[in-house]
Structures are given as structure tokens and as C-alpha cells.
Amino acid sequence: LRTAFLLLVVIACAAAEDSFRVKFEVDNLSGKAGETGSFVMEVFPDWAPLGAGRIKEMLEANFFDGVRFFRVINGFMAQFGIHGDPAEAAKWRSKQLQDDPVKESNKRGYVSFATSGRNSRTTQMFINFGSNTNLDGMGFSPFAKVIQGMDVVDKIYKIGEKPKQPLIQSQGNAYLNKEFPELTFITSARIMGADEEL
């Protein structure tokens, strides 16, 4: 009962938090080295408090530097969030999150954590290219939306589902760089200042 109460307190505190903006710098757009750009997502703790808390935790740990968009399906979504260092990826894989209720819809530009079943979210997330409202009933809970640079997101290299996730987990960016050098990747991600212009 005490654990349930503490979880409710955490959720209530997170829900009271203001939204925050995250700027992502990316390279290899359209699969071309040196083609760079950026996009900004706004994170809404009241949509999905645990998901919002997780991305903040990842940002504070500089998790995203060098992370590849490894599953990118045209018209569907761009998935990312496996750390390039297998040891680091393994640490985060054990930090599973409880599910957030689905309050928003998986519309174009909205961002949700990937899941492999109930209470299984870790660090993988995806940006919806289109309206994927069918995902709402499957428990994919949006926690953010892209508010600037969706044209950049649209240029993320469409690799499809070729990279094998077990090999990404076990070999990290060494595997991806060797087999799929064209993947778009994140060069930096940071929380923007409240008064910083887009």
C-alpha cells in the first residue's frame, strides 16, 4: 500500500510539472554524411508522467549522443533509443517503467515509448510520421510532440526493419556503423531554456 501511495505521489508531482522542450541535433539525414539538421520536441508530464520523467533522466545522463534511428518505416514511425555502448544499453534495459495511461493520440509528430507488453518500457521511443491512432488502444502513451523541425524528422533515413535489435543490444554502434552506415543519428540532445527561442 505504501508503494502504491508513493507511486501516486510521484505521478501527482510529475503531473504538476510544466512542459519542457528538447532540442535534438542530427546527422546523416536522408542517409547522407554531413547532412545535418535539428528538431524540437515538447515534453508534457501531464500526458505521461513516467514517460516524461524517463526522457528527462536520459537527457541528464547524456544518453542520446550517438544514438541511431534504427527502425524507420516510411509513413509509420522513426524508432530510436538503444544506447550505442552495449554495457550502457544493458543497464537501462533493466529499468522498466510502469505503463502510463494513454491520454493523447499517436498522431503525426507525437512521440511515445516503445513497449513489448505491459509495464515494459525502457529507453526506446518513436516519432509518428503519420496518424497511428490504432496504437492508442495498444497502450502506446504519447509523452511529447515535435513542435519544430518535422521536415527534418521526415528526412530521417528510412532503413525499414533491417537492423537486428539483439545485435544492436549486444554490439551497439559498432554493429550499426559497420552494417548500416547510412543511419541517421543524434549528435546532441538537450533541454532548452524556458526563455530560449525556437
Side-chain angles (χ1 to χ4, degrees):
L1 187 64
R2 185 167 180 271
T3 304
F5 174 74
L6 287 173
L7 184 61
L8 286 174
V9 168
V10 167
I11 290 171
C13 289
E17 281 183 43
D18 290 333
S19 65
F20 58 93
R21 295 172 300 164
V22 182
K23 185 169 190 175
F24 289 86
E25 302 281 352
V26 292
D27 199 345
N28 263 27
L29 291 169
S30 305
K32 297 173 187 167
E35 188 169 330
T36 63
S38 65
F39 62 91
V40 176
M41 68 170 67
E42 187 163 3
V43 178
F44 296 90
D46 57 330
W47 290 3
L50 299 176
R54 173 53 52 88
I55 192 172
K56 196 172 215 179
E57 182 187 1
M58 293 165 73
L59 287 158
E60 288 167 353
N62 293 318
F63 178 94
F64 290 102
D65 295 0
V67 163
R68 270 59 182 162
F69 290 87
F70 64 87
R71 182 173 177 247
V72 186
I73 302 169
N74 195 30
F76 181 34
M77 57 89 218
Q79 187 168 331
F80 62 109
I82 298 178
H83 199 281
D85 175 351
E88 199 63 29
K91 278 187 222 169
W92 285 90
R93 205 162 56 247
S94 67
K95 298 181 178 185
Q96 295 187 330
L97 288 178
Q98 295 292 302
D99 291 337
D100 278 309
V102 179
K103 293 184 179 177
E104 291 293 322
S105 187
N106 283 275
K107 297 178 278 196
R108 174 170 165 77
Y110 281 57
V111 189
S112 295
F113 275 93
T115 174
S116 58
R118 286 176 50 82
N119 303 318
S120 64
R121 297 177 301 166
T122 56
T123 58
Q124 293 186 49
M125 59 191 75
F126 60 91
I127 304 170
N128 290 286
F129 284 134
S131 180
N132 298 315
T133 54
N134 59 307
L135 298 177
D136 302 347
M138 298 163 67
F140 293 96
S141 178
F143 65 91
K145 68 177 176 181
V146 174
I147 59 168
Q148 184 184 65
M150 196 61 198
D151 57 323
V152 172
V153 172
D154 285 335
K155 292 181 187 173
I156 292 171
Y157 185 72
K158 313 298 187 298
I159 190 65
E161 299 184 88
K162 292 175 192 166
K164 299 191 175 1
Q165 287 196 42
L167 291 178
I168 305 172
Q169 298 283 7
S170 64
Q171 298 176 30
N173 282 350
Y175 160 66
L176 293 176
N177 290 340
K178 181 181 175 191
E179 300 295 332
F180 306 100
E182 66 275 34
L183 294 183
T184 300
F185 62 92
I186 297 165
T187 55
S188 74
R190 63 176 179 85
I191 296 176
M192 298 176 70
D195 56 354
E196 190 175 343
E197 289 187 17
L198 288 175

